[in-house]
Amino acid sequence: MSEDEPARAPQEFAGRRWLFPSALMHELDPDAGAPGRRPRRTARDWVVDFSCFLLAVVLGLATAQSLPQESGLPHSLAVLDQVLGALACGALWLRRRWPVGLAAAMIPVGFLSNTAGGAGMVVIFTLAVHRPFRHVAWIGGIELALLPLFYWLRPDPELPYAAVVAFTVLLTVSLIGWGKFVRSKRQLMLSLRDRARRAETEARLRAEQAQRLAREAIAREMHDVLAHRLTLLSVHAGALEFRPDAPRDEIARAAGVIRESAHEALQDLREIIGVLRAGESDDAAGSRPQPTLAALDALVAECREAGMKVTLESCVTDPAAVPASVGRTAYRIAQEALTNARKHAPGTDVTVQVTGGPGAGLTVTVRNPAPASDVPPVPGSGQGLIGLTERATLIGGSLEHGATADGGFEVRGWLPCGGD
């Protein structure tokens, strides 16, 4: 994914919405409904709500037929029982919106009305599904505590007192357990969905971070390479400007170096821009051979052709055993130090010294004396040496730089080089 591509929002729920409860769909896809409004019932909600209403009505009618068999029940209380049962069945359509309030209201209704028992069971189940356990514990506990008193005042005409109390308590506890099981399944689904979204976001952030680090590496390569090429251009262009009467051979040689350096700089710039556009740093960077320790000779020769006085002292015990990453970092250190010497101390004798080998580490030292005369200030921010310090630190090495006692400048880097 490129940086210009907008961050993808979490994918919408792709399943069949009508098969899921509206409350669960609202949690899985909160942006699907209108903001500030409760979720609309799905087809499953309508089927479940109608089934619960029908079950409560059937149980209420069955209980109403047994009311005349209760001895000592006044007619007015029997009428009130049936009216409250009908109201309780109708209130079931509000159970999703106010589960706690409806369950609390069913406590006195259930104590006065035997026909509201079916509706009360549906309400306590709804409370267990939609609210935390503390609400269920308080309301369910009160209902269970009132059950023995209710059946003591209005005993069942067919079942013994202990049996009907035990059966009703067992049924209530079972409904509460079933409701909490349904709630736990929904919460598990929500947690898995949230975990998947977090994993997608973390993967996207890791990809963006890896891409940013790769582009920072490209920027360092661009500084190291282009600074070297453009410094050569500046030196030879300055020579042509201040010595227009130079021999024809020197002018032709300087123009050739300028042309070659400009061509190489444009080629490097095209590759870097191609990497930034494609976002595939590994493949693009691998299309061109990267410099290693063996390329130091070519680097020194190129600097000598540009008019620099460079001495290379290489005392590496086994150059072929030096890892490519270590050799490439050593090359970049020498390249940046030579570029700085060309800019800030032109005409001086520069010494490049490479010592060590596998097991002992690789030491790269580039030093130059103070220039013979004052040098005009050259634009620069010192980012090259900062980037090289970071590069050396990444592979476990170090880089030091600063002025010497004789007024010159020295860059010294040490890089680990593991042996067999």
Side-chain angles (χ1 to χ4, degrees):
M1 182 182 69
S2 63
E3 286 187 353
D4 297 333
E5 181 181 351
R8 293 181 299 173
Q11 297 181 354
E12 295 183 355
F13 185 78
R16 298 179 179 178
R17 296 175 177 270
W18 62 274
L19 287 176
F20 292 86
S22 58
L24 183 60
M25 286 303 309
H26 180 69
E27 296 292 338
L28 290 175
D29 192 7
D31 298 331
R37 298 184 59 183
R38 62 182 303 271
R40 298 179 59 182
R41 283 188 176 95
T42 61
R44 177 191 178 279
D45 290 342
W46 283 107
V47 172
V48 172
D49 289 349
F50 182 78
S51 300
C52 292
F53 172 76
L54 185 61
L55 177 63
V57 170
V58 171
L59 293 177
L61 291 176
T63 306
Q65 293 180 357
S66 64
L67 289 180
Q69 301 178 9
E70 294 188 28
S71 59
L73 182 66
H75 178 73
S76 57
L77 184 57
V79 172
L80 178 63
D81 189 310
Q82 298 178 54
V83 171
L84 292 177
L87 293 177
C89 291
L92 291 180
W93 293 101
L94 304 176
R95 66 189 183 92
R96 296 181 186 272
R97 180 176 298 184
W98 299 302
V100 178
L102 187 58
M106 286 298 298
I107 294 177
V109 171
F111 189 75
L112 295 175
S113 173
N114 202 4
T115 56
M121 294 298 178
V122 175
V123 169
I124 195 65
F125 173 78
T126 303
L127 180 66
V129 171
H130 292 278
R131 290 297 181 265
F133 181 74
R134 62 179 182 274
H135 298 92
V136 184
W138 279 103
I139 296 178
I142 294 174
E143 289 189 357
L144 291 176
L146 292 177
L147 282 176
L149 179 60
F150 175 81
Y151 285 108
W152 179 264
L153 297 176
R154 298 181 59 177
D156 189 277
E158 298 179 356
L159 296 176
Y161 173 77
V164 71
V165 171
F167 175 76
T168 308
V169 169
L170 180 61
L171 180 61
T172 304
V173 173
S174 300
L175 287 173
I176 292 175
W178 183 19
K180 300 311 295 182
F181 173 73
V182 173
R183 178 177 174 83
S184 65
K185 285 185 62 178
R186 293 185 181 182
Q187 290 179 336
L188 176 61
M189 184 180 296
L190 294 176
S191 65
L192 292 177
R193 178 75 171 182
D194 184 61
R195 187 180 303 175
R197 287 182 175 177
R198 286 201 307 268
E200 182 181 355
T201 302
E202 291 173 0
R204 184 171 64 251
L205 292 177
R206 285 196 299 268
E208 292 176 356
Q209 183 180 14
Q211 191 176 66
R212 178 178 57 82
L213 294 176
R215 294 192 178 192
E216 289 178 357
I218 293 171
R220 288 194 294 267
E221 293 289 336
M222 179 173 63
H223 178 275
D224 296 340
V225 175
L226 292 184
H228 178 71
R229 302 291 182 192
L230 296 178
T231 303
L232 290 178
L233 285 174
S234 177
V235 170
H236 287 85
L240 292 178
E241 179 183 3
F242 290 106
R243 294 190 59 191
D245 56 344
R248 184 179 184 86
D249 294 340
E250 292 185 9
I251 294 178
R253 183 174 63 84
V257 173
I258 291 175
R259 180 186 60 81
E260 184 66 24
S261 298
H263 176 75
E264 293 289 339
L266 288 175
Q267 182 67 22
D268 294 331
L269 189 58
R270 289 192 191 98
E271 291 186 1
I272 291 168
I273 292 176
V275 170
L276 293 177
R277 286 178 177 175
E280 299 175 356
S281 58
D282 294 339
D283 296 340
S287 62
R288 190 176 183 185
Q290 295 295 310
T292 59
L293 190 63
L296 278 178
D297 293 332
L299 175 64
V300 171
E302 185 180 18
C303 293
R304 287 171 180 169
E305 291 180 1
M308 290 186 67
K309 301 175 183 179
V310 184
T311 302
L312 175 62
E313 299 176 1
S314 181
C315 299
V316 181
T317 55
D318 189 2
V322 176
S325 60
V326 176
R328 183 163 55 251
T329 304
Y331 178 91
R332 293 304 185 194
I333 292 175
Q335 184 184 52
E336 177 66 21
L338 289 172
T339 300
N340 290 338
R342 188 184 303 119
K343 291 192 299 184
H344 303 289
T348 59
D349 295 331
V350 184
T351 302
V352 179
Q353 187 177 27
V354 184
T355 59
L362 205 65
T363 301
V364 182
T365 305
V366 182
R367 65 173 64 91
N368 62 271
S373 59
D374 294 337
V375 178
V378 180
S381 60
Q383 295 299 319
L385 292 175
I386 295 176
L388 287 176
T389 303
E390 295 177 355
R391 184 189 293 233
T393 303
L394 285 176
I395 62 174
S398 61
L399 183 72
E400 299 177 355
H401 53 84
T404 59
D406 59 355
F409 197 83
E410 180 181 270
V411 177
R412 177 184 294 271
W414 181 84
L415 306 174
C417 186
D420 294 336

